[in-house]
Amino acid sequence: MIRQWSTLHPEFSFLPRKFKIAITGAPNDRAAVKIHDIGLRMHRNAAGEIGFEVIVGGGLGRTPIIGEEISAFVPWRQILNYCEAILRVYNLYGRRDNAYKARIKILVKALGVAEFTRQVEAEFAHLKDGPSTLTEAEVARVAGRFDDPVLAPLPPTDAAHEAHLAADKAFAAWVRRNVRAHKVAGYASVVLSLKKHGVAPGDVSADQFERVAELADDFAFGEIRSTHEQNLVLPSVRVADLHTVWQRARAAGLATPNIGLLTDIISCPGGDFCTLANAKSIPIANAIQDRFDDLDYLYDIGEIELNISGCMNACGHHHVGHIGILGVDKNGEEFYQVTIGGTQGNHAALGKVIGPSFAAAEMPDVITSLINNFIDNRHEDERFIDTVRRIGIDSFKTRVYAERAARLGARETANV
Ligand code: SF4
């Protein structure tokens, strides 16, 4: 509905700059709503009514900012009117004199969130119940264009599946990392990993896409979703079919059991493909995959997000990676700045820079130092990000630069 409402909407035809809206309907944000111009989080209020938390002014790039809530609850019928009010304030006061300062995040920052909210609410007072108000009939019309697969009720467990889990360690590892619970008993959601070691993160060949299409047609009601983590999802697969799906996905190189682990890297195309790049991203991702190619060790490290961008445009979302790597240009040479402590999702936060940048060849060692410091300091079952939050970045920083100095010193000694 937002797409239909916004296409050819006059308020959209001369905005100061590009504009992106993200929506999530899940308790855990999977749509990065806090780093979009408008983020909408659907939820129920205390009375059980459906509406949206509205977040405005998020964005990464050269001025990374986490969006701010301007309304805790806008009733669903009013959401387009409320978005229209936001756009009107942006259209009136967003800067058009400087492309770098034209995004809505800069306006929200300049006005302050309280004043921005006041202005939006003042516009909304005029727009409320206006022509963009949603109705049940309109929601039903649009919903009717999206066929939900009819999922026949199934028993929650499957004896053959349980037997495969018990007999086959590799299958069990894949189920643990790449298969997620489904709201309907007897079904599961499957993540097809596009993070095979040695392959550019997110890359998929034409042949693999054929296999994905076959898997979707044969086992997932013809549905495929892509994630911003650069993987593919088969949203509804019968639990009883998981073993066959795994075998076929594995044969196609799409079943690396590393979802959410260190090698499930988000990487932009970087200098290999992008003319805006300061540095290459993909070789850095591949070098880190090579260094951490032991799955048991990856499982021991646990959940961690590592994001790489080849320039400050931040297409690889490095600011919100638990570890973020940014390609920078230093006198024509490629270097990499490292941040830690960033997070996406409900508690989105920007990472902090740990210090001076590194040469490409140093990056696997830098990541090793960060991981070793985490392992030495973590509490049992603590994730990397939780350790960083608990102890701060200083010990990570000290470890990385001390070990780097030792390496450089050893190299100089060897060269004497
Ligand atoms: S972050 Fe920079 S290098 Fe990477 S794809 Fe975006 S513009 Fe290109």
Side-chain angles (χ1 to χ4, degrees):
M1 279 181 287
I2 288 177
R3 186 184 58 74
Q4 292 199 352
W5 159 79
S6 58
T7 306
L8 306 181
H9 189 299
E11 206 72 69
F12 272 89
S13 54
F14 187 55
L15 288 175
R17 211 43 184 90
K18 64 181 173 181
F19 203 86
K20 296 181 273 187
I21 301 176
I23 309 165
T24 182
N28 288 325
D29 168 32
R30 305 299 301 155
V33 293
K34 291 192 172 172
I35 53 170
H36 279 76
D37 298 285
I38 294 179
L40 302 176
R41 190 179 67 81
M42 189 190 273
H43 64 110
R44 286 182 193 273
N45 63 9
E49 298 155 340
I50 293 174
F52 293 87
E53 176 191 8
V54 179
I55 297 153
V56 174
L60 300 179
R62 84 171 46 222
T63 315
I65 295 177
I66 299 296
E68 302 242 28
E69 178 189 286
I70 64 164
S71 175
F73 189 82
V74 174
W76 65 270
R77 290 172 196 276
Q78 300 295 338
I79 193 61
L80 298 185
N81 296 324
Y82 202 84
C83 287
E84 213 157 286
I86 295 169
L87 285 165
R88 189 151 302 170
V89 173
Y90 180 40
N91 247 335
L92 281 169
Y93 301 113
R95 285 182 63 171
R96 291 181 163 84
D97 61 323
N98 181 339
Y100 297 128
K101 297 196 182 298
R103 296 288 293 272
I104 196 171
K105 61 188 174 184
I106 305 296
L107 177 64
V108 175
K109 210 76 195 145
L111 290 177
V113 71
E115 173 59 14
F116 183 84
T117 307
R118 191 194 64 73
Q119 296 200 19
V120 169
E121 291 289 341
E123 287 293 342
F124 181 55
H126 301 299
L127 294 163
K128 191 166 180 248
D129 298 324
S132 298
T133 306
L134 288 172
T135 62
E136 267 153 23
E138 177 62 0
V139 172
R141 180 187 72 79
V142 175
R145 301 288 173 175
F146 297 88
D147 288 339
D148 247 353
V150 180
L151 303 179
L154 292 171
T157 55
D158 178 84
H161 173 69
E162 296 300 326
H164 285 307
L165 281 180
D168 193 334
K169 270 191 179 167
F171 173 61
W174 178 77
V175 169
R176 258 197 317 278
R177 292 292 349 154
N178 296 31
V179 175
R180 291 175 181 160
H182 199 285
K183 63 182 177 181
V184 180
Y187 294 85
S189 157
V190 170
V191 184
L192 297 174
S193 171
L194 303 185
K195 309 296 174 65
K196 190 174 174 192
H197 293 188
V199 174
D203 252 22
V204 57
S205 69
D207 276 348
Q208 283 177 312
F209 249 134
E210 294 286 350
R211 304 292 86 76
V212 172
E214 287 162 9
L215 284 171
D217 280 341
D218 294 348
F219 300 105
F221 305 90
E223 280 195 57
I224 308 161
R225 303 278 160 75
S226 62
T227 70
H228 78 272
E229 287 96 349
Q230 302 177 316
N231 291 305
L232 297 172
V233 173
L234 302 175
S236 303
V237 174
R238 291 186 336 145
V239 168
D241 289 331
L242 285 175
H243 193 256
T244 313
V245 169
W246 170 67
Q247 287 175 315
R248 284 175 46 174
R250 192 160 72 148
L254 299 165
T256 309
N258 63 348
I259 300 304
L261 302 178
L262 183 59
T263 53
D264 186 10
I265 295 169
I266 297 179
S267 170
C268 83
D272 290 296
F273 299 98
C274 178
T275 53
L276 301 175
N278 283 329
K280 292 190 170 115
S281 302
I282 293 169
I284 301 300
N286 289 152
I288 294 167
Q289 288 171 334
D290 284 349
R291 173 66 61 90
F292 295 91
D293 63 351
D294 178 346
L295 271 171
D296 287 333
Y297 186 48
L298 288 175
Y299 295 143
D300 179 42
I301 295 168
E303 285 184 15
I304 184 166
E305 295 168 8
L306 193 159
N307 300 354
I308 310 176
S309 303
C311 78
M312 65 169 73
N313 287 322
C315 303
H317 291 183
H318 64 278
H319 299 107
V320 290
H322 299 171
I323 298 176
I325 299 176
L326 165 67
V328 292
D329 178 289
K330 269 192 180 176
N331 305 321
E333 276 191 62
E334 298 186 359
F335 274 79
Y336 296 87
Q337 187 183 73
V338 173
T339 52
I340 62 170
T343 330
Q344 60 161 332
N346 293 9
H347 306 290
L350 301 174
K352 294 194 178 107
V353 177
I354 64 165
S357 52
F358 306 93
E362 294 180 281
M363 288 312 296
D365 290 328
V366 170
I367 303 303
T368 301
S369 297
L370 288 172
I371 296 299
N372 287 343
N373 195 56
F374 157 61
I375 286 171
D376 290 350
N377 286 285
R378 70 179 166 185
H379 288 167
E380 201 181 340
D381 290 336
E382 197 173 43
R383 298 177 309 159
F384 177 88
I385 184 64
D386 297 323
T387 304
V388 175
R389 283 187 190 131
R390 183 170 53 78
I391 68 176
I393 73 167
D394 286 351
S395 76
F396 289 90
K397 189 174 170 167
T398 305
R399 177 82 167 249
V400 166
Y401 289 98
E403 291 184 354
R404 179 201 212 195
R407 277 193 306 277
L408 293 177
R411 211 168 296 153
E412 273 170 25
T413 310
N415 288 338
V416 170

PDB file of all heavy atoms in Angstrom, residues 268-271 274 276-278 281 309-316, ligand 1:
ATOM      1  N   CYS A 268      29.841  -5.257   0.510  1.00  0.00           N
ATOM      2  CA  CYS A 268      29.451  -4.568  -0.716  1.00  0.00           C
ATOM      3  C   CYS A 268      30.382  -5.031  -1.848  1.00  0.00           C
ATOM      4  O   CYS A 268      31.391  -5.686  -1.585  1.00  0.00           O
ATOM      5  CB  CYS A 268      29.529  -3.056  -0.517  1.00  0.00           C
ATOM      6  SG  CYS A 268      31.192  -2.394  -0.725  1.00  0.00           S
ATOM      7  N   PRO A 269      30.080  -4.717  -3.106  1.00  0.00           N
ATOM      8  CA  PRO A 269      30.959  -5.167  -4.203  1.00  0.00           C
ATOM      9  C   PRO A 269      32.352  -4.532  -4.146  1.00  0.00           C
ATOM     10  O   PRO A 269      33.320  -5.128  -4.632  1.00  0.00           O
ATOM     11  CB  PRO A 269      30.231  -4.723  -5.468  1.00  0.00           C
ATOM     12  CG  PRO A 269      28.855  -4.345  -5.051  1.00  0.00           C
ATOM     13  CD  PRO A 269      28.898  -4.018  -3.588  1.00  0.00           C
ATOM     14  N   GLY A 270      32.443  -3.326  -3.546  1.00  0.00           N
ATOM     15  CA  GLY A 270      33.746  -2.682  -3.386  1.00  0.00           C
ATOM     16  C   GLY A 270      34.461  -2.435  -4.704  1.00  0.00           C
ATOM     17  O   GLY A 270      33.864  -2.424  -5.783  1.00  0.00           O
ATOM     18  N   GLY A 271      35.776  -2.260  -4.572  1.00  0.00           N
ATOM     19  CA  GLY A 271      36.593  -1.833  -5.713  1.00  0.00           C
ATOM     20  C   GLY A 271      36.665  -2.815  -6.869  1.00  0.00           C
ATOM     21  O   GLY A 271      37.111  -2.445  -7.957  1.00  0.00           O
ATOM     22  N   CYS A 274      32.727  -1.542  -8.144  1.00  0.00           N
ATOM     23  CA  CYS A 274      32.048  -0.261  -7.926  1.00  0.00           C
ATOM     24  C   CYS A 274      33.010   0.898  -8.188  1.00  0.00           C
ATOM     25  O   CYS A 274      34.096   0.964  -7.603  1.00  0.00           O
ATOM     26  CB  CYS A 274      31.546  -0.202  -6.491  1.00  0.00           C
ATOM     27  SG  CYS A 274      30.757   1.358  -6.102  1.00  0.00           S
ATOM     28  N   LEU A 276      32.737   3.897  -7.242  1.00  0.00           N
ATOM     29  CA  LEU A 276      32.824   4.845  -6.129  1.00  0.00           C
ATOM     30  C   LEU A 276      33.773   4.374  -5.033  1.00  0.00           C
ATOM     31  O   LEU A 276      34.084   5.114  -4.109  1.00  0.00           O
ATOM     32  CB  LEU A 276      31.433   5.047  -5.507  1.00  0.00           C
ATOM     33  CG  LEU A 276      30.352   5.570  -6.450  1.00  0.00           C
ATOM     34  CD1 LEU A 276      29.009   5.597  -5.751  1.00  0.00           C
ATOM     35  CD2 LEU A 276      30.716   6.963  -6.956  1.00  0.00           C
ATOM     36  N   ALA A 277      34.248   3.138  -5.153  1.00  0.00           N
ATOM     37  CA  ALA A 277      34.992   2.526  -4.041  1.00  0.00           C
ATOM     38  C   ALA A 277      36.314   3.215  -3.755  1.00  0.00           C
ATOM     39  O   ALA A 277      36.995   3.699  -4.659  1.00  0.00           O
ATOM     40  CB  ALA A 277      35.244   1.058  -4.357  1.00  0.00           C
ATOM     41  N   ASN A 278      36.670   3.213  -2.468  1.00  0.00           N
ATOM     42  CA  ASN A 278      38.023   3.590  -2.065  1.00  0.00           C
ATOM     43  C   ASN A 278      38.918   2.370  -1.996  1.00  0.00           C
ATOM     44  O   ASN A 278      40.139   2.482  -2.064  1.00  0.00           O
ATOM     45  CB  ASN A 278      38.009   4.216  -0.659  1.00  0.00           C
ATOM     46  CG  ASN A 278      37.517   5.638  -0.684  1.00  0.00           C
ATOM     47  OD1 ASN A 278      37.707   6.354  -1.667  1.00  0.00           O
ATOM     48  ND2 ASN A 278      36.868   6.046   0.387  1.00  0.00           N
ATOM     49  N   SER A 281      36.465  -4.755  -1.256  1.00  0.00           N
ATOM     50  CA  SER A 281      35.805  -5.403  -0.111  1.00  0.00           C
ATOM     51  C   SER A 281      35.910  -6.914  -0.192  1.00  0.00           C
ATOM     52  O   SER A 281      36.176  -7.588   0.813  1.00  0.00           O
ATOM     53  CB  SER A 281      34.299  -5.054  -0.079  1.00  0.00           C
ATOM     54  OG  SER A 281      34.106  -3.687  -0.016  1.00  0.00           O
ATOM     55  N   SER A 309      32.276  -2.368   3.924  1.00  0.00           N
ATOM     56  CA  SER A 309      31.945  -1.413   2.859  1.00  0.00           C
ATOM     57  C   SER A 309      33.233  -0.914   2.223  1.00  0.00           C
ATOM     58  O   SER A 309      34.224  -0.675   2.927  1.00  0.00           O
ATOM     59  CB  SER A 309      31.195  -0.192   3.411  1.00  0.00           C
ATOM     60  OG  SER A 309      30.026  -0.565   4.080  1.00  0.00           O
ATOM     61  N   GLY A 310      33.188  -0.695   0.919  1.00  0.00           N
ATOM     62  CA  GLY A 310      34.372  -0.218   0.208  1.00  0.00           C
ATOM     63  C   GLY A 310      34.522   1.293   0.202  1.00  0.00           C
ATOM     64  O   GLY A 310      35.525   1.818  -0.301  1.00  0.00           O
ATOM     65  N   CYS A 311      33.547   2.005   0.743  1.00  0.00           N
ATOM     66  CA  CYS A 311      33.674   3.467   0.889  1.00  0.00           C
ATOM     67  C   CYS A 311      32.620   3.946   1.864  1.00  0.00           C
ATOM     68  O   CYS A 311      31.787   3.178   2.326  1.00  0.00           O
ATOM     69  CB  CYS A 311      33.553   4.188  -0.456  1.00  0.00           C
ATOM     70  SG  CYS A 311      31.861   4.355  -1.048  1.00  0.00           S
ATOM     71  N   MET A 312      32.648   5.240   2.149  1.00  0.00           N
ATOM     72  CA  MET A 312      31.775   5.778   3.194  1.00  0.00           C
ATOM     73  C   MET A 312      30.290   5.734   2.826  1.00  0.00           C
ATOM     74  O   MET A 312      29.436   6.008   3.669  1.00  0.00           O
ATOM     75  CB  MET A 312      32.196   7.201   3.536  1.00  0.00           C
ATOM     76  CG  MET A 312      31.999   8.164   2.393  1.00  0.00           C
ATOM     77  SD  MET A 312      32.198   9.849   2.927  1.00  0.00           S
ATOM     78  CE  MET A 312      33.966   9.917   3.158  1.00  0.00           C
ATOM     79  N   ASN A 313      29.954   5.368   1.600  1.00  0.00           N
ATOM     80  CA  ASN A 313      28.529   5.234   1.277  1.00  0.00           C
ATOM     81  C   ASN A 313      27.875   4.095   2.065  1.00  0.00           C
ATOM     82  O   ASN A 313      26.654   4.036   2.164  1.00  0.00           O
ATOM     83  CB  ASN A 313      28.331   5.047  -0.223  1.00  0.00           C
ATOM     84  CG  ASN A 313      28.589   6.347  -0.959  1.00  0.00           C
ATOM     85  OD1 ASN A 313      28.245   7.424  -0.475  1.00  0.00           O
ATOM     86  ND2 ASN A 313      29.211   6.265  -2.120  1.00  0.00           N
ATOM     87  N   ALA A 314      28.687   3.193   2.559  1.00  0.00           N
ATOM     88  CA  ALA A 314      28.225   2.216   3.566  1.00  0.00           C
ATOM     89  C   ALA A 314      27.181   1.233   3.059  1.00  0.00           C
ATOM     90  O   ALA A 314      26.299   0.812   3.801  1.00  0.00           O
ATOM     91  CB  ALA A 314      27.704   2.950   4.813  1.00  0.00           C
ATOM     92  N   CYS A 315      27.291   0.835   1.783  1.00  0.00           N
ATOM     93  CA  CYS A 315      26.332  -0.149   1.259  1.00  0.00           C
ATOM     94  C   CYS A 315      26.442  -1.474   2.004  1.00  0.00           C
ATOM     95  O   CYS A 315      25.494  -2.261   2.020  1.00  0.00           O
ATOM     96  CB  CYS A 315      26.550  -0.358  -0.236  1.00  0.00           C
ATOM     97  SG  CYS A 315      26.415   1.171  -1.174  1.00  0.00           S
ATOM     98  N   GLY A 316      27.603  -1.767   2.599  1.00  0.00           N
ATOM     99  CA  GLY A 316      27.773  -3.003   3.371  1.00  0.00           C
ATOM    100  C   GLY A 316      27.375  -2.835   4.834  1.00  0.00           C
ATOM    101  O   GLY A 316      27.609  -3.743   5.631  1.00  0.00           O
TER     102      GLY A 316
HETATM  103  S1  SF4 B   1      29.917   1.125  -0.143  1.00  0.00           S
HETATM  104 FE1  SF4 B   1      30.974   2.316  -1.675  1.00  0.00          FE
HETATM  105  S2  SF4 B   1      32.256   0.818  -2.710  1.00  0.00           S
HETATM  106 FE2  SF4 B   1      30.688  -0.324  -1.661  1.00  0.00          FE
HETATM  107  S3  SF4 B   1      29.084  -0.580  -3.208  1.00  0.00           S
HETATM  108 FE3  SF4 B   1      28.595   1.227  -1.956  1.00  0.00          FE
HETATM  109  S4  SF4 B   1      29.381   2.920  -3.143  1.00  0.00           S
HETATM  110 FE4  SF4 B   1      30.388   1.063  -3.909  1.00  0.00          FE
END
